[in-house]
Amino acid sequence: MFNKILIANRGEIAVRIVRACHELGVRAVVAYSEADRYSLAVRTADEAVCIGPAPSPRSYLNQSALISAARITGCDAIHPGYGFLSENAYFAEICAQYGITFIGPSPEAIRLMGDKIEGRTTMRAAGVPIVPGSEGELKSLDEAVELAVGIGYPVLLKPAGGGGGRGMRVANDEAELVRYYATAKSEAEAAFGNGALLLEKYLPKVRHVEIQVLADQYGNAIHLGERDCSSQRRHQKIIEESPSPAVSPELRARMGEAALKGVRAINYVNAGTMEFLLDPEGNFYFIEMNTRIQVEHPVTELVTGLDLVRWQLRIASGEHLTIQQADVELRGHAIECRVNAEDPERDFMPSVGEIQYYLPPGGPGVRVDSHLYNGYTVPGNYDSLLAKMLVWAPTREEAIVRMKRALGETVIHGIKTTIPFQMGLLDDEVFQHGFMHTRYVGEMMPKWLETRKK
Ligand code: ADP
């Protein structure tokens, strides 16, 4: 096992990694920006190093500052968390050059899966079903139009280097495709430094179902079942759960096997997620692989009883995966609400400022992953995730009741949060019956806003 790890991240995930380090007897060093001087991660770490000013290009994305911080403090590994440099193949390479273990897969695997076009091609060759669409990068508008005629509208224009649900455009007919093509390309270039687009059939009533995988350096790989992340607003996840109400044991086995085919095809090592869209007929299609720990990993931890972050460390340090597929058992039901610093009544406008009073929920079956404390000031420089409220219960029905109880207990004074909206979702009939698809949140939004006016 490592001696000391540098955590190249912030917020709740930095705290989460500190906790895993401490449970494994590893010293945790937190790299922080000037805006995060008083963060919970800094307080709980064994050591902390300032790596630069608040804007992330000058701190959390500053590779030389991070490598220097690791060397000065004598760290033998770096955990990148999610976001920032977690899917940066070049950073993984630099770590290796300095003899520091990057806690994640190889630079080759990151590079391959970081590009949605390469990802599609690789997965198709491995026998994993993909969404019908373009073979490679779209070369021209004419090619896009021709392809769209073949696969049928609506179609989706997707940035090959995209992430976080940004930059995608749905075209319902040829006129829209013509209208969106050039803008989508220039937006992709501006946002991701890569103007390459791909075209996919837009599947209207699908669920987002993803498979968690773990693989060691010796060719052993298992899957840990699925997470249903269909509760999304503008392609961004807001509630996740495991298991999915739409996945039978038989379908789980098939999706799991497809995910593992993908893992083997790229010699993937460490924790990763294969994302799929699942249609009402039970057909599933690969959309992308995330080569890192994900925000919603704890729902899998709650139903499997496994600690994914600890496994990331153990795998990266060269340990064997000691769990067999047959040992993986999903017990009960887990739900996560991502509590963001946003005002749902004002189009989810970011809300920043001091947390005057914070009282997290507790009691049976509740887990909170958060970096909040009384008096903490939420900086405006980073993403808006404040806390992940998680519950576990024997059944989905009980988990929903428990989540409502937990959110009802939560007190966050000083800024606006998404909790009132999530309360509304938990009461929504579609959610309660488990009939979610990726657009239902958008569809119920006007109704919810009406109830707030009363
Ligand atoms: P990103 O990397 O930006 O998160 P993804 O490819 O993972 O992009 O897709 C994000 C979300 O967009 C999915 O969860 C789903 O809701 C929607 N989506 C992506 N591809 C399709 C598609 N072909 N048809 C319908 N919805 C899609």
Side-chain angles (χ1 to χ4, degrees):
M1 185 41 69
F2 304 110
N3 181 32
K4 221 179 192 189
I5 290 176
L6 184 88
I7 299 165
N9 215 300
R10 62 176 305 282
E12 68 83 22
I13 195 66
V15 178
R16 170 74 187 87
I17 302 165
V18 171
R19 288 174 171 153
C21 287
H22 286 168
E23 289 183 9
L24 289 170
V26 176
R27 290 177 67 75
V29 183
V30 163
Y32 66 95
S33 78
E34 283 167 11
D36 284 330
R37 190 172 300 272
Y38 302 106
S39 74
L40 191 60
V42 169
R43 287 186 180 200
T44 49
D46 300 291
E47 284 173 58
V49 190
C50 184
I51 42 155
S56 38
R58 298 182 62 195
S59 48
Y60 297 107
L61 294 172
N62 183 342
Q63 304 190 23
S64 43
L66 287 160
I67 298 285
S68 307
R71 284 169 65 88
I72 290 165
T73 53
C75 287
D76 40 10
I78 293 186
H79 196 306
Y82 50 68
F84 297 125
L85 295 170
S86 61
E87 289 177 299
N88 186 310
Y90 183 72
F91 183 61
E93 259 161 23
I94 299 286
C95 288
Q97 275 170 23
Y98 281 93
I100 301 164
T101 304
F102 176 83
I103 301 176
S106 67
E108 295 73 36
I110 300 176
R111 196 161 281 137
L112 212 51
M113 293 299 115
D115 183 307
K116 289 192 209 264
I117 294 169
E118 296 270 5
R120 276 171 66 84
T121 314
T122 310
M123 289 306 154
R124 190 183 26 212
V128 179
I130 60 170
V131 186
S134 51
E135 289 271 326
E137 176 183 352
L138 286 177
K139 298 204 184 51
S140 64
L141 173 60
D142 287 346
E143 189 196 339
V145 170
E146 199 177 309
L147 268 169
V149 171
I151 58 179
Y153 287 94
V155 295
L156 185 66
L157 285 171
K158 233 187 223 190
R166 290 180 302 142
M168 289 181 283
R169 296 258 178 155
V170 183
N172 289 299
D173 52 39
E174 191 171 316
E176 287 191 354
L177 183 56
V178 172
R179 194 154 6 115
Y180 296 153
Y181 182 80
T183 0
K185 213 170 162 55
S186 50
E187 278 176 8
E189 180 69 55
F192 312 111
N194 174 2
L197 294 179
L198 63 110
L199 185 122
E200 278 180 9
K201 182 158 183 62
Y202 183 75
L203 304 170
K205 286 233 161 150
V206 284
R207 288 172 185 262
H208 174 119
V209 176
E210 56 187 36
I211 303 284
Q212 175 71 52
V213 295
L214 274 183
D216 69 14
Q217 299 173 21
Y218 314 99
N220 304 304
I222 54 170
H223 75 83
L224 304 180
E226 77 282 1
R227 294 185 285 263
D228 191 318
C229 313
S230 306
S231 300
Q232 308 180 344
R233 184 183 159 268
R234 301 201 178 146
H235 304 307
Q236 285 169 14
K237 303 163 184 171
I238 49 176
I239 298 185
E240 300 99 340
E241 57 184 292
S242 184
S244 165
V247 174
S248 64
E250 179 273 328
L251 178 57
R252 178 171 308 121
R254 276 196 293 130
M255 292 185 78
E257 197 33 57
L260 291 176
K261 263 190 205 167
V263 165
R264 291 185 210 109
I266 59 169
N267 296 321
Y268 191 83
V269 174
N270 216 292
T273 300
M274 292 275 285
E275 296 191 334
F276 296 96
L277 298 177
L278 174 67
D279 75 14
E281 287 76 47
N283 302 305
F284 58 90
Y285 309 90
F286 169 82
I287 46 171
E288 68 162 346
M289 182 175 198
N290 287 317
T291 55
R292 54 172 166 81
I293 193 76
Q294 282 191 285
V295 175
E296 61 272 25
H297 76 272
V299 291
T300 299
E301 297 187 324
L302 290 174
V303 292
T304 59
L306 298 169
D307 187 308
L308 286 168
V309 180
R310 268 168 48 182
W311 268 112
Q312 284 196 290
L313 267 55
R314 293 176 64 179
I315 288 170
S317 73
E319 286 187 32
H320 281 84
L321 196 57
T322 48
I323 318 153
Q324 315 274 318
Q325 191 62 56
D327 303 332
V328 179
E329 225 182 296
L330 305 188
R331 247 189 84 243
H333 200 93
I335 304 179
E336 168 178 284
C337 284
R338 296 190 188 197
V339 176
N340 291 331
E342 292 166 4
D343 184 353
E345 288 179 56
R346 297 178 67 194
D347 202 27
F348 292 79
M349 196 167 78
S351 177
V352 294
E354 188 189 318
I355 308 287
Q356 287 147 7
Y357 187 67
Y358 170 56
L359 188 66
V366 175
R367 165 173 166 181
V368 179
D369 278 21
S370 174
H371 56 296
L372 293 193
Y373 58 82
N374 280 314
Y376 172 68
T377 297
V378 179
N381 310 80
Y382 311 108
D383 76 21
S384 59
L385 184 63
L386 293 177
K388 304 188 305 204
M389 302 300 179
L390 291 130
V391 297
W392 180 91
T395 64
R396 186 171 189 269
E397 290 68 31
E398 289 163 287
I400 294 174
V401 171
R402 183 162 276 172
M403 181 61 89
K404 285 166 63 175
R405 189 267 291 165
L407 293 185
E409 278 174 23
T410 308
V411 184
I412 302 177
H413 282 169
I415 58 169
K416 297 279 186 193
T417 79
T418 46
I419 288 180
F421 181 62
Q422 279 146 337
M423 280 290 217
L425 274 180
L426 295 166
D427 275 331
D428 188 71
E429 267 191 16
V430 176
F431 184 82
Q432 293 213 334
H433 290 119
F435 296 154
M436 305 87 72
H437 57 82
T438 54
R439 292 190 306 170
Y440 92 95
V441 170
E443 291 171 3
M444 65 79 73
M445 182 77 70
K447 208 170 63 192
W448 178 76
L449 284 170
E450 270 314 303
T451 64
R452 301 296 288 180
K453 283 189 195 136
K454 285 179 193 144

